[in-house]
Amino acid sequence: MAPQGSIRLISMCAGQGRDVIEVLERHDRALDVRALLVELDVQLAEDARQRARRAALGNVHVRVADAFITSAYRDAVPADILLACGVFGNISDSDIHATIASLPSLLARNATVIWTRHRRDPDLTPTVREWFGEFGFEEVAFDTEEGVLFSVGTHRLIRDPQTFDPNQKLFTFFGDGAGAHQ
Ligand SMILES: C[S@@+](CC[C@H](N)C(=O)[O-])C[C@H]1O[C@@H](n2cnc3c(N)ncnc32)[C@H](O)[C@@H]1O
């Protein structure tokens, strides 16, 4: 459970933001959460904005921006929770590694990262989990089901955060995102 007070949340490549908004709209701490959803697609971002408005979540902000550069998150760091959902299936392995390496500069002490990735052959998730360890995270959970290719990882930062650099490049997104959840 997060300590009392405000909780900063970042969602990279947020889409319609349903994984944030649909949780917050029935969560006791919803009004403590200041969320920044970064999404490149104007229409999806507008959908997210309307959902947040309908749910009376005035602290959910949606930014139309390219999530690849850390400046996109400038006013939302250091985050207590960061979502990288539907991202790691759409960027290169080396960009996944580079993104995980950069996360401590976007995060507060003890922050939690929730990420997703398919497990299609060759399953990269064991390596991704090792990379989180390499960059100062401990694994809280790794959830998947037999016969399902989708997986969700949860990692907590256990080393000191790093200084925020607004000019750091994280990844190049390829594809239309469709493969990320299979
Ligand atoms: C697979 S979807 C994931 C959406 C959401 N995070 C989820 O898990 O349901 C990938 C999203 O990334 C967005 N996207 C693609 N390239 C992006 C970029 N460079 N910056 C920000 N968003 C991007 C797409 O428009 C799409 O909404």
Side-chain angles (χ1 to χ4, degrees):
M1 177 128 87
Q4 279 201 323
S6 134
I7 301 166
R8 290 180 178 222
L9 181 151
I10 288 173
S11 177
M12 299 177 154
C13 301
Q16 295 174 312
R18 294 179 57 179
D19 45 8
V20 174
I21 294 163
E22 290 180 9
V23 171
L24 287 184
E25 63 189 353
R26 50 190 155 80
H27 201 287
D28 292 346
R29 302 279 309 271
L31 296 180
D32 289 341
V33 176
R34 298 181 55 79
L36 175 68
L37 278 47
V38 177
E39 168 56 46
L40 195 57
D41 184 286
V42 174
Q43 188 56 54
L44 292 175
E46 185 53 29
D47 289 349
R49 262 187 216 112
Q50 286 180 17
R51 279 175 196 277
R53 205 172 299 131
R54 279 199 300 274
L57 293 168
N59 284 339
V60 173
H61 302 284
V62 183
R63 172 169 294 150
V64 176
D66 196 323
F68 92 103
I69 181 90
T70 47
S71 59
Y73 313 102
R74 59 196 174 274
D75 44 6
V77 294
D80 302 292
I81 303 173
L82 184 143
L83 270 59
C85 298
V87 178
F88 290 170
N90 289 295
I91 65 178
S92 69
D93 296 2
S94 60
D95 278 358
I96 297 174
H97 187 257
T99 299
I100 297 169
S102 297
L103 289 178
S105 70
L106 299 176
L107 298 175
R109 195 171 298 277
N110 297 321
T112 300
V113 177
I114 301 172
W115 55 276
T116 63
R117 162 82 190 192
H118 64 76
R119 295 187 300 130
R120 280 196 299 273
D121 266 353
D123 181 3
L124 193 71
T125 60
T127 308
V128 173
R129 294 162 73 186
E130 279 177 19
W131 287 340
F132 271 98
E134 178 186 344
F135 293 111
F137 293 84
E138 71 175 3
E139 187 162 284
V140 178
F142 180 72
D143 296 306
T144 188
E145 282 178 32
E146 198 57 39
V148 173
L149 287 176
F150 183 59
S151 67
V152 183
T154 306
H155 281 80
R156 182 183 298 122
L157 184 65
I158 55 171
R159 283 193 208 145
D160 288 340
Q162 288 168 6
T163 308
F164 176 63
D165 169 2
N167 297 312
Q168 195 145 7
K169 180 178 177 293
L170 299 172
F171 54 75
T172 302
F173 198 99
F174 55 78
D176 60 3
H181 286 170
Q182 290 166 10

PDB file of all heavy atoms in Angstrom, residues 117-153:
ATOM      1  N   ARG A 117       4.095  -8.131 -21.588  1.00  0.00           N
ATOM      2  CA  ARG A 117       4.845  -8.640 -22.740  1.00  0.00           C
ATOM      3  C   ARG A 117       4.247 -10.000 -23.091  1.00  0.00           C
ATOM      4  O   ARG A 117       3.925 -10.786 -22.209  1.00  0.00           O
ATOM      5  CB  ARG A 117       6.331  -8.770 -22.364  1.00  0.00           C
ATOM      6  CG  ARG A 117       7.185  -9.647 -23.254  1.00  0.00           C
ATOM      7  CD  ARG A 117       7.682  -8.975 -24.514  1.00  0.00           C
ATOM      8  NE  ARG A 117       8.279  -9.969 -25.405  1.00  0.00           N
ATOM      9  CZ  ARG A 117       9.007  -9.695 -26.481  1.00  0.00           C
ATOM     10  NH1 ARG A 117       9.251  -8.437 -26.817  1.00  0.00           N
ATOM     11  NH2 ARG A 117       9.486 -10.650 -27.230  1.00  0.00           N
ATOM     12  N   HIS A 118       4.144 -10.278 -24.392  1.00  0.00           N
ATOM     13  CA  HIS A 118       3.715 -11.617 -24.810  1.00  0.00           C
ATOM     14  C   HIS A 118       4.845 -12.613 -24.541  1.00  0.00           C
ATOM     15  O   HIS A 118       5.993 -12.215 -24.281  1.00  0.00           O
ATOM     16  CB  HIS A 118       3.340 -11.608 -26.296  1.00  0.00           C
ATOM     17  CG  HIS A 118       4.512 -11.300 -27.180  1.00  0.00           C
ATOM     18  ND1 HIS A 118       5.503 -12.207 -27.460  1.00  0.00           N
ATOM     19  CD2 HIS A 118       4.871 -10.161 -27.827  1.00  0.00           C
ATOM     20  CE1 HIS A 118       6.402 -11.666 -28.243  1.00  0.00           C
ATOM     21  NE2 HIS A 118       6.050 -10.416 -28.472  1.00  0.00           N
ATOM     22  N   ARG A 119       4.541 -13.899 -24.598  1.00  0.00           N
ATOM     23  CA  ARG A 119       5.563 -14.925 -24.339  1.00  0.00           C
ATOM     24  C   ARG A 119       5.777 -15.809 -25.562  1.00  0.00           C
ATOM     25  O   ARG A 119       6.152 -16.982 -25.441  1.00  0.00           O
ATOM     26  CB  ARG A 119       5.152 -15.763 -23.126  1.00  0.00           C
ATOM     27  CG  ARG A 119       5.121 -14.917 -21.842  1.00  0.00           C
ATOM     28  CD  ARG A 119       4.880 -15.765 -20.609  1.00  0.00           C
ATOM     29  NE  ARG A 119       3.621 -16.474 -20.695  1.00  0.00           N
ATOM     30  CZ  ARG A 119       3.466 -17.781 -20.473  1.00  0.00           C
ATOM     31  NH1 ARG A 119       4.489 -18.524 -20.135  1.00  0.00           N
ATOM     32  NH2 ARG A 119       2.287 -18.343 -20.572  1.00  0.00           N
ATOM     33  N   ARG A 120       5.507 -15.223 -26.735  1.00  0.00           N
ATOM     34  CA  ARG A 120       5.735 -15.998 -27.962  1.00  0.00           C
ATOM     35  C   ARG A 120       7.202 -16.404 -28.067  1.00  0.00           C
ATOM     36  O   ARG A 120       8.094 -15.659 -27.638  1.00  0.00           O
ATOM     37  CB  ARG A 120       5.346 -15.173 -29.194  1.00  0.00           C
ATOM     38  CG  ARG A 120       3.853 -15.153 -29.461  1.00  0.00           C
ATOM     39  CD  ARG A 120       3.561 -14.663 -30.879  1.00  0.00           C
ATOM     40  NE  ARG A 120       4.057 -13.307 -31.092  1.00  0.00           N
ATOM     41  CZ  ARG A 120       3.367 -12.217 -30.815  1.00  0.00           C
ATOM     42  NH1 ARG A 120       2.159 -12.292 -30.311  1.00  0.00           N
ATOM     43  NH2 ARG A 120       3.878 -11.022 -31.034  1.00  0.00           N
ATOM     44  N   ASP A 121       7.447 -17.563 -28.697  1.00  0.00           N
ATOM     45  CA  ASP A 121       8.821 -18.042 -28.912  1.00  0.00           C
ATOM     46  C   ASP A 121       9.624 -17.062 -29.738  1.00  0.00           C
ATOM     47  O   ASP A 121       9.109 -16.593 -30.763  1.00  0.00           O
ATOM     48  CB  ASP A 121       8.782 -19.383 -29.661  1.00  0.00           C
ATOM     49  CG  ASP A 121       8.818 -20.542 -28.673  1.00  0.00           C
ATOM     50  OD1 ASP A 121       9.005 -20.286 -27.475  1.00  0.00           O
ATOM     51  OD2 ASP A 121       8.655 -21.673 -29.142  1.00  0.00           O
ATOM     52  N   PRO A 122      10.820 -16.769 -29.431  1.00  0.00           N
ATOM     53  CA  PRO A 122      11.511 -17.124 -28.198  1.00  0.00           C
ATOM     54  C   PRO A 122      11.067 -16.204 -27.058  1.00  0.00           C
ATOM     55  O   PRO A 122      11.144 -14.978 -27.207  1.00  0.00           O
ATOM     56  CB  PRO A 122      12.983 -16.876 -28.549  1.00  0.00           C
ATOM     57  CG  PRO A 122      12.950 -15.792 -29.594  1.00  0.00           C
ATOM     58  CD  PRO A 122      11.645 -15.930 -30.343  1.00  0.00           C
ATOM     59  N   ASP A 123      10.573 -16.792 -25.981  1.00  0.00           N
ATOM     60  CA  ASP A 123      10.015 -16.015 -24.873  1.00  0.00           C
ATOM     61  C   ASP A 123      11.094 -15.131 -24.233  1.00  0.00           C
ATOM     62  O   ASP A 123      12.070 -15.636 -23.663  1.00  0.00           O
ATOM     63  CB  ASP A 123       9.451 -17.014 -23.841  1.00  0.00           C
ATOM     64  CG  ASP A 123       8.822 -16.318 -22.643  1.00  0.00           C
ATOM     65  OD1 ASP A 123       8.764 -15.078 -22.637  1.00  0.00           O
ATOM     66  OD2 ASP A 123       8.388 -17.043 -21.726  1.00  0.00           O
ATOM     67  N   LEU A 124      10.890 -13.817 -24.350  1.00  0.00           N
ATOM     68  CA  LEU A 124      11.898 -12.894 -23.807  1.00  0.00           C
ATOM     69  C   LEU A 124      11.647 -12.559 -22.333  1.00  0.00           C
ATOM     70  O   LEU A 124      12.491 -11.923 -21.691  1.00  0.00           O
ATOM     71  CB  LEU A 124      11.918 -11.599 -24.646  1.00  0.00           C
ATOM     72  CG  LEU A 124      13.097 -10.658 -24.412  1.00  0.00           C
ATOM     73  CD1 LEU A 124      14.397 -11.244 -24.980  1.00  0.00           C
ATOM     74  CD2 LEU A 124      12.848  -9.265 -25.015  1.00  0.00           C
ATOM     75  N   THR A 125      10.506 -12.978 -21.796  1.00  0.00           N
ATOM     76  CA  THR A 125      10.177 -12.488 -20.440  1.00  0.00           C
ATOM     77  C   THR A 125      11.196 -12.896 -19.369  1.00  0.00           C
ATOM     78  O   THR A 125      11.450 -12.084 -18.464  1.00  0.00           O
ATOM     79  CB  THR A 125       8.742 -12.864 -20.002  1.00  0.00           C
ATOM     80  OG1 THR A 125       8.606 -14.288 -20.009  1.00  0.00           O
ATOM     81  CG2 THR A 125       7.705 -12.225 -20.890  1.00  0.00           C
ATOM     82  N   PRO A 126      11.822 -14.099 -19.432  1.00  0.00           N
ATOM     83  CA  PRO A 126      12.836 -14.387 -18.414  1.00  0.00           C
ATOM     84  C   PRO A 126      13.985 -13.372 -18.455  1.00  0.00           C
ATOM     85  O   PRO A 126      14.500 -12.936 -17.419  1.00  0.00           O
ATOM     86  CB  PRO A 126      13.316 -15.803 -18.769  1.00  0.00           C
ATOM     87  CG  PRO A 126      12.166 -16.406 -19.526  1.00  0.00           C
ATOM     88  CD  PRO A 126      11.579 -15.259 -20.296  1.00  0.00           C
ATOM     89  N   THR A 127      14.364 -12.978 -19.679  1.00  0.00           N
ATOM     90  CA  THR A 127      15.449 -11.999 -19.831  1.00  0.00           C
ATOM     91  C   THR A 127      15.009 -10.618 -19.345  1.00  0.00           C
ATOM     92  O   THR A 127      15.772  -9.909 -18.670  1.00  0.00           O
ATOM     93  CB  THR A 127      15.872 -11.932 -21.312  1.00  0.00           C
ATOM     94  OG1 THR A 127      16.140 -13.251 -21.750  1.00  0.00           O
ATOM     95  CG2 THR A 127      17.069 -11.058 -21.526  1.00  0.00           C
ATOM     96  N   VAL A 128      13.790 -10.243 -19.678  1.00  0.00           N
ATOM     97  CA  VAL A 128      13.292  -8.933 -19.231  1.00  0.00           C
ATOM     98  C   VAL A 128      13.309  -8.877 -17.705  1.00  0.00           C
ATOM     99  O   VAL A 128      13.708  -7.876 -17.095  1.00  0.00           O
ATOM    100  CB  VAL A 128      11.864  -8.675 -19.771  1.00  0.00           C
ATOM    101  CG1 VAL A 128      11.273  -7.410 -19.175  1.00  0.00           C
ATOM    102  CG2 VAL A 128      11.879  -8.572 -21.299  1.00  0.00           C
ATOM    103  N   ARG A 129      12.907  -9.973 -17.073  1.00  0.00           N
ATOM    104  CA  ARG A 129      12.885 -10.004 -15.601  1.00  0.00           C
ATOM    105  C   ARG A 129      14.310  -9.874 -15.049  1.00  0.00           C
ATOM    106  O   ARG A 129      14.533  -9.213 -14.029  1.00  0.00           O
ATOM    107  CB  ARG A 129      12.212 -11.293 -15.143  1.00  0.00           C
ATOM    108  CG  ARG A 129      10.740 -11.302 -15.548  1.00  0.00           C
ATOM    109  CD  ARG A 129      10.131 -12.687 -15.519  1.00  0.00           C
ATOM    110  NE  ARG A 129       9.912 -13.182 -14.174  1.00  0.00           N
ATOM    111  CZ  ARG A 129       9.493 -14.425 -13.906  1.00  0.00           C
ATOM    112  NH1 ARG A 129       9.278 -15.292 -14.906  1.00  0.00           N
ATOM    113  NH2 ARG A 129       9.295 -14.794 -12.676  1.00  0.00           N
ATOM    114  N   GLU A 130      15.266 -10.498 -15.719  1.00  0.00           N
ATOM    115  CA  GLU A 130      16.673 -10.352 -15.293  1.00  0.00           C
ATOM    116  C   GLU A 130      17.142  -8.903 -15.452  1.00  0.00           C
ATOM    117  O   GLU A 130      17.868  -8.375 -14.605  1.00  0.00           O
ATOM    118  CB  GLU A 130      17.573 -11.244 -16.144  1.00  0.00           C
ATOM    119  CG  GLU A 130      17.587 -12.687 -15.704  1.00  0.00           C
ATOM    120  CD  GLU A 130      18.438 -13.548 -16.642  1.00  0.00           C
ATOM    121  OE1 GLU A 130      19.287 -13.001 -17.386  1.00  0.00           O
ATOM    122  OE2 GLU A 130      18.204 -14.752 -16.631  1.00  0.00           O
ATOM    123  N   TRP A 131      16.713  -8.273 -16.547  1.00  0.00           N
ATOM    124  CA  TRP A 131      17.126  -6.886 -16.773  1.00  0.00           C
ATOM    125  C   TRP A 131      16.604  -5.976 -15.674  1.00  0.00           C
ATOM    126  O   TRP A 131      17.293  -5.045 -15.237  1.00  0.00           O
ATOM    127  CB  TRP A 131      16.650  -6.407 -18.150  1.00  0.00           C
ATOM    128  CG  TRP A 131      17.420  -7.013 -19.284  1.00  0.00           C
ATOM    129  CD1 TRP A 131      18.658  -7.590 -19.229  1.00  0.00           C
ATOM    130  CD2 TRP A 131      16.989  -7.112 -20.653  1.00  0.00           C
ATOM    131  NE1 TRP A 131      19.024  -8.045 -20.468  1.00  0.00           N
ATOM    132  CE2 TRP A 131      18.030  -7.758 -21.364  1.00  0.00           C
ATOM    133  CE3 TRP A 131      15.850  -6.724 -21.353  1.00  0.00           C
ATOM    134  CZ2 TRP A 131      17.946  -8.021 -22.736  1.00  0.00           C
ATOM    135  CZ3 TRP A 131      15.761  -6.976 -22.710  1.00  0.00           C
ATOM    136  CH2 TRP A 131      16.805  -7.619 -23.396  1.00  0.00           C
ATOM    137  N   PHE A 132      15.381  -6.206 -15.218  1.00  0.00           N
ATOM    138  CA  PHE A 132      14.881  -5.394 -14.100  1.00  0.00           C
ATOM    139  C   PHE A 132      15.802  -5.565 -12.889  1.00  0.00           C
ATOM    140  O   PHE A 132      16.151  -4.588 -12.214  1.00  0.00           O
ATOM    141  CB  PHE A 132      13.429  -5.767 -13.761  1.00  0.00           C
ATOM    142  CG  PHE A 132      12.412  -4.973 -14.554  1.00  0.00           C
ATOM    143  CD1 PHE A 132      11.820  -5.498 -15.688  1.00  0.00           C
ATOM    144  CD2 PHE A 132      12.078  -3.682 -14.164  1.00  0.00           C
ATOM    145  CE1 PHE A 132      10.899  -4.763 -16.424  1.00  0.00           C
ATOM    146  CE2 PHE A 132      11.157  -2.927 -14.887  1.00  0.00           C
ATOM    147  CZ  PHE A 132      10.566  -3.471 -16.023  1.00  0.00           C
ATOM    148  N   GLY A 133      16.217  -6.799 -12.611  1.00  0.00           N
ATOM    149  CA  GLY A 133      17.140  -7.045 -11.506  1.00  0.00           C
ATOM    150  C   GLY A 133      18.447  -6.300 -11.698  1.00  0.00           C
ATOM    151  O   GLY A 133      18.988  -5.686 -10.768  1.00  0.00           O
ATOM    152  N   GLU A 134      18.940  -6.321 -12.936  1.00  0.00           N
ATOM    153  CA  GLU A 134      20.222  -5.659 -13.243  1.00  0.00           C
ATOM    154  C   GLU A 134      20.167  -4.164 -12.918  1.00  0.00           C
ATOM    155  O   GLU A 134      21.169  -3.579 -12.501  1.00  0.00           O
ATOM    156  CB  GLU A 134      20.526  -5.874 -14.741  1.00  0.00           C
ATOM    157  CG  GLU A 134      21.780  -5.222 -15.254  1.00  0.00           C
ATOM    158  CD  GLU A 134      21.910  -5.383 -16.786  1.00  0.00           C
ATOM    159  OE1 GLU A 134      21.216  -6.230 -17.401  1.00  0.00           O
ATOM    160  OE2 GLU A 134      22.702  -4.616 -17.353  1.00  0.00           O
ATOM    161  N   PHE A 135      18.985  -3.549 -13.106  1.00  0.00           N
ATOM    162  CA  PHE A 135      18.897  -2.096 -12.930  1.00  0.00           C
ATOM    163  C   PHE A 135      18.235  -1.693 -11.616  1.00  0.00           C
ATOM    164  O   PHE A 135      17.713  -0.590 -11.476  1.00  0.00           O
ATOM    165  CB  PHE A 135      18.216  -1.459 -14.146  1.00  0.00           C
ATOM    166  CG  PHE A 135      19.075  -1.591 -15.375  1.00  0.00           C
ATOM    167  CD1 PHE A 135      18.699  -2.418 -16.417  1.00  0.00           C
ATOM    168  CD2 PHE A 135      20.292  -0.932 -15.450  1.00  0.00           C
ATOM    169  CE1 PHE A 135      19.523  -2.576 -17.534  1.00  0.00           C
ATOM    170  CE2 PHE A 135      21.118  -1.071 -16.562  1.00  0.00           C
ATOM    171  CZ  PHE A 135      20.732  -1.900 -17.607  1.00  0.00           C
ATOM    172  N   GLY A 136      18.282  -2.587 -10.626  1.00  0.00           N
ATOM    173  CA  GLY A 136      17.921  -2.177  -9.267  1.00  0.00           C
ATOM    174  C   GLY A 136      16.483  -2.426  -8.857  1.00  0.00           C
ATOM    175  O   GLY A 136      16.000  -1.780  -7.918  1.00  0.00           O
ATOM    176  N   PHE A 137      15.819  -3.356  -9.524  1.00  0.00           N
ATOM    177  CA  PHE A 137      14.434  -3.655  -9.182  1.00  0.00           C
ATOM    178  C   PHE A 137      14.336  -5.051  -8.563  1.00  0.00           C
ATOM    179  O   PHE A 137      15.090  -5.961  -8.937  1.00  0.00           O
ATOM    180  CB  PHE A 137      13.550  -3.639 -10.441  1.00  0.00           C
ATOM    181  CG  PHE A 137      13.397  -2.279 -11.064  1.00  0.00           C
ATOM    182  CD1 PHE A 137      14.358  -1.783 -11.948  1.00  0.00           C
ATOM    183  CD2 PHE A 137      12.298  -1.486 -10.778  1.00  0.00           C
ATOM    184  CE1 PHE A 137      14.214  -0.532 -12.542  1.00  0.00           C
ATOM    185  CE2 PHE A 137      12.146  -0.235 -11.356  1.00  0.00           C
ATOM    186  CZ  PHE A 137      13.103   0.240 -12.239  1.00  0.00           C
ATOM    187  N   GLU A 138      13.377  -5.215  -7.671  1.00  0.00           N
ATOM    188  CA  GLU A 138      13.040  -6.555  -7.207  1.00  0.00           C
ATOM    189  C   GLU A 138      11.676  -6.932  -7.789  1.00  0.00           C
ATOM    190  O   GLU A 138      10.823  -6.059  -8.003  1.00  0.00           O
ATOM    191  CB  GLU A 138      13.013  -6.643  -5.675  1.00  0.00           C
ATOM    192  CG  GLU A 138      11.845  -5.929  -5.044  1.00  0.00           C
ATOM    193  CD  GLU A 138      11.776  -6.137  -3.530  1.00  0.00           C
ATOM    194  OE1 GLU A 138      12.669  -6.783  -2.955  1.00  0.00           O
ATOM    195  OE2 GLU A 138      10.813  -5.612  -2.932  1.00  0.00           O
ATOM    196  N   GLU A 139      11.515  -8.221  -8.007  1.00  0.00           N
ATOM    197  CA  GLU A 139      10.253  -8.666  -8.596  1.00  0.00           C
ATOM    198  C   GLU A 139       9.192  -8.798  -7.511  1.00  0.00           C
ATOM    199  O   GLU A 139       9.392  -9.465  -6.505  1.00  0.00           O
ATOM    200  CB  GLU A 139      10.442 -10.006  -9.302  1.00  0.00           C
ATOM    201  CG  GLU A 139       9.205 -10.427 -10.073  1.00  0.00           C
ATOM    202  CD  GLU A 139       9.524 -11.501 -11.102  1.00  0.00           C
ATOM    203  OE1 GLU A 139      10.106 -11.167 -12.157  1.00  0.00           O
ATOM    204  OE2 GLU A 139       9.203 -12.671 -10.849  1.00  0.00           O
ATOM    205  N   VAL A 140       8.053  -8.167  -7.749  1.00  0.00           N
ATOM    206  CA  VAL A 140       6.910  -8.286  -6.837  1.00  0.00           C
ATOM    207  C   VAL A 140       6.001  -9.412  -7.321  1.00  0.00           C
ATOM    208  O   VAL A 140       5.500 -10.200  -6.533  1.00  0.00           O
ATOM    209  CB  VAL A 140       6.127  -6.952  -6.782  1.00  0.00           C
ATOM    210  CG1 VAL A 140       4.907  -7.065  -5.890  1.00  0.00           C
ATOM    211  CG2 VAL A 140       7.048  -5.820  -6.325  1.00  0.00           C
ATOM    212  N   ALA A 141       5.816  -9.476  -8.633  1.00  0.00           N
ATOM    213  CA  ALA A 141       4.952 -10.521  -9.196  1.00  0.00           C
ATOM    214  C   ALA A 141       5.257 -10.686 -10.677  1.00  0.00           C
ATOM    215  O   ALA A 141       5.717  -9.739 -11.342  1.00  0.00           O
ATOM    216  CB  ALA A 141       3.483 -10.151  -9.012  1.00  0.00           C
ATOM    217  N   PHE A 142       5.024 -11.886 -11.153  1.00  0.00           N
ATOM    218  CA  PHE A 142       5.037 -12.121 -12.597  1.00  0.00           C
ATOM    219  C   PHE A 142       3.826 -13.009 -12.874  1.00  0.00           C
ATOM    220  O   PHE A 142       3.786 -14.157 -12.448  1.00  0.00           O
ATOM    221  CB  PHE A 142       6.327 -12.808 -13.054  1.00  0.00           C
ATOM    222  CG  PHE A 142       6.342 -13.051 -14.537  1.00  0.00           C
ATOM    223  CD1 PHE A 142       6.494 -11.995 -15.424  1.00  0.00           C
ATOM    224  CD2 PHE A 142       6.152 -14.324 -15.047  1.00  0.00           C
ATOM    225  CE1 PHE A 142       6.477 -12.206 -16.800  1.00  0.00           C
ATOM    226  CE2 PHE A 142       6.137 -14.545 -16.419  1.00  0.00           C
ATOM    227  CZ  PHE A 142       6.303 -13.467 -17.293  1.00  0.00           C
ATOM    228  N   ASP A 143       2.823 -12.441 -13.516  1.00  0.00           N
ATOM    229  CA  ASP A 143       1.542 -13.133 -13.674  1.00  0.00           C
ATOM    230  C   ASP A 143       1.307 -13.542 -15.117  1.00  0.00           C
ATOM    231  O   ASP A 143       1.402 -12.724 -16.028  1.00  0.00           O
ATOM    232  CB  ASP A 143       0.393 -12.208 -13.224  1.00  0.00           C
ATOM    233  CG  ASP A 143       0.479 -11.891 -11.742  1.00  0.00           C
ATOM    234  OD1 ASP A 143       0.548 -12.843 -10.955  1.00  0.00           O
ATOM    235  OD2 ASP A 143       0.505 -10.697 -11.387  1.00  0.00           O
ATOM    236  N   THR A 144       0.987 -14.823 -15.257  1.00  0.00           N
ATOM    237  CA  THR A 144       0.588 -15.343 -16.545  1.00  0.00           C
ATOM    238  C   THR A 144      -0.206 -16.621 -16.277  1.00  0.00           C
ATOM    239  O   THR A 144      -0.349 -17.024 -15.127  1.00  0.00           O
ATOM    240  CB  THR A 144       1.811 -15.602 -17.445  1.00  0.00           C
ATOM    241  OG1 THR A 144       1.359 -15.927 -18.759  1.00  0.00           O
ATOM    242  CG2 THR A 144       2.697 -16.715 -16.893  1.00  0.00           C
ATOM    243  N   GLU A 145      -0.747 -17.203 -17.320  1.00  0.00           N
ATOM    244  CA  GLU A 145      -1.509 -18.437 -17.127  1.00  0.00           C
ATOM    245  C   GLU A 145      -1.082 -19.440 -18.161  1.00  0.00           C
ATOM    246  O   GLU A 145      -0.717 -19.073 -19.285  1.00  0.00           O
ATOM    247  CB  GLU A 145      -3.013 -18.169 -17.302  1.00  0.00           C
ATOM    248  CG  GLU A 145      -3.652 -17.525 -16.100  1.00  0.00           C
ATOM    249  CD  GLU A 145      -5.133 -17.231 -16.354  1.00  0.00           C
ATOM    250  OE1 GLU A 145      -5.767 -18.008 -17.102  1.00  0.00           O
ATOM    251  OE2 GLU A 145      -5.613 -16.224 -15.823  1.00  0.00           O
ATOM    252  N   GLU A 146      -1.151 -20.693 -17.790  1.00  0.00           N
ATOM    253  CA  GLU A 146      -0.866 -21.790 -18.709  1.00  0.00           C
ATOM    254  C   GLU A 146      -1.715 -21.617 -19.973  1.00  0.00           C
ATOM    255  O   GLU A 146      -2.920 -21.357 -19.870  1.00  0.00           O
ATOM    256  CB  GLU A 146      -1.213 -23.111 -17.994  1.00  0.00           C
ATOM    257  CG  GLU A 146      -0.595 -24.350 -18.603  1.00  0.00           C
ATOM    258  CD  GLU A 146       0.923 -24.279 -18.675  1.00  0.00           C
ATOM    259  OE1 GLU A 146       1.562 -23.771 -17.726  1.00  0.00           O
ATOM    260  OE2 GLU A 146       1.452 -24.735 -19.711  1.00  0.00           O
ATOM    261  N   GLY A 147      -1.090 -21.712 -21.115  1.00  0.00           N
ATOM    262  CA  GLY A 147      -1.836 -21.636 -22.368  1.00  0.00           C
ATOM    263  C   GLY A 147      -2.145 -20.217 -22.812  1.00  0.00           C
ATOM    264  O   GLY A 147      -2.789 -20.010 -23.844  1.00  0.00           O
ATOM    265  N   VAL A 148      -1.720 -19.244 -22.041  1.00  0.00           N
ATOM    266  CA  VAL A 148      -1.961 -17.844 -22.408  1.00  0.00           C
ATOM    267  C   VAL A 148      -0.612 -17.193 -22.676  1.00  0.00           C
ATOM    268  O   VAL A 148       0.324 -17.369 -21.897  1.00  0.00           O
ATOM    269  CB  VAL A 148      -2.684 -17.109 -21.249  1.00  0.00           C
ATOM    270  CG1 VAL A 148      -2.790 -15.626 -21.531  1.00  0.00           C
ATOM    271  CG2 VAL A 148      -4.057 -17.714 -21.028  1.00  0.00           C
ATOM    272  N   LEU A 149      -0.510 -16.454 -23.765  1.00  0.00           N
ATOM    273  CA  LEU A 149       0.792 -15.877 -24.110  1.00  0.00           C
ATOM    274  C   LEU A 149       1.051 -14.533 -23.420  1.00  0.00           C
ATOM    275  O   LEU A 149       2.176 -14.077 -23.325  1.00  0.00           O
ATOM    276  CB  LEU A 149       0.895 -15.700 -25.624  1.00  0.00           C
ATOM    277  CG  LEU A 149       1.077 -17.005 -26.405  1.00  0.00           C
ATOM    278  CD1 LEU A 149       1.078 -16.729 -27.907  1.00  0.00           C
ATOM    279  CD2 LEU A 149       2.371 -17.699 -25.998  1.00  0.00           C
ATOM    280  N   PHE A 150      -0.001 -13.930 -22.924  1.00  0.00           N
ATOM    281  CA  PHE A 150       0.108 -12.612 -22.299  1.00  0.00           C
ATOM    282  C   PHE A 150       0.709 -12.735 -20.892  1.00  0.00           C
ATOM    283  O   PHE A 150       0.447 -13.709 -20.184  1.00  0.00           O
ATOM    284  CB  PHE A 150      -1.292 -12.024 -22.219  1.00  0.00           C
ATOM    285  CG  PHE A 150      -1.359 -10.646 -21.658  1.00  0.00           C
ATOM    286  CD1 PHE A 150      -0.675  -9.609 -22.263  1.00  0.00           C
ATOM    287  CD2 PHE A 150      -2.123 -10.375 -20.541  1.00  0.00           C
ATOM    288  CE1 PHE A 150      -0.752  -8.322 -21.757  1.00  0.00           C
ATOM    289  CE2 PHE A 150      -2.203  -9.094 -20.030  1.00  0.00           C
ATOM    290  CZ  PHE A 150      -1.522  -8.073 -20.639  1.00  0.00           C
ATOM    291  N   SER A 151       1.517 -11.783 -20.486  1.00  0.00           N
ATOM    292  CA  SER A 151       2.028 -11.813 -19.113  1.00  0.00           C
ATOM    293  C   SER A 151       2.155 -10.379 -18.576  1.00  0.00           C
ATOM    294  O   SER A 151       2.281  -9.426 -19.343  1.00  0.00           O
ATOM    295  CB  SER A 151       3.390 -12.516 -19.053  1.00  0.00           C
ATOM    296  OG  SER A 151       4.371 -11.750 -19.719  1.00  0.00           O
ATOM    297  N   VAL A 152       2.095 -10.281 -17.249  1.00  0.00           N
ATOM    298  CA  VAL A 152       2.201  -8.989 -16.566  1.00  0.00           C
ATOM    299  C   VAL A 152       3.284  -9.096 -15.494  1.00  0.00           C
ATOM    300  O   VAL A 152       3.227  -9.984 -14.639  1.00  0.00           O
ATOM    301  CB  VAL A 152       0.873  -8.596 -15.867  1.00  0.00           C
ATOM    302  CG1 VAL A 152       1.005  -7.210 -15.225  1.00  0.00           C
ATOM    303  CG2 VAL A 152      -0.292  -8.636 -16.837  1.00  0.00           C
ATOM    304  N   GLY A 153       4.254  -8.211 -15.557  1.00  0.00           N
ATOM    305  CA  GLY A 153       5.301  -8.175 -14.539  1.00  0.00           C
ATOM    306  C   GLY A 153       5.115  -6.957 -13.641  1.00  0.00           C
ATOM    307  O   GLY A 153       4.657  -5.906 -14.097  1.00  0.00           O
TER     308      GLY A 153
END
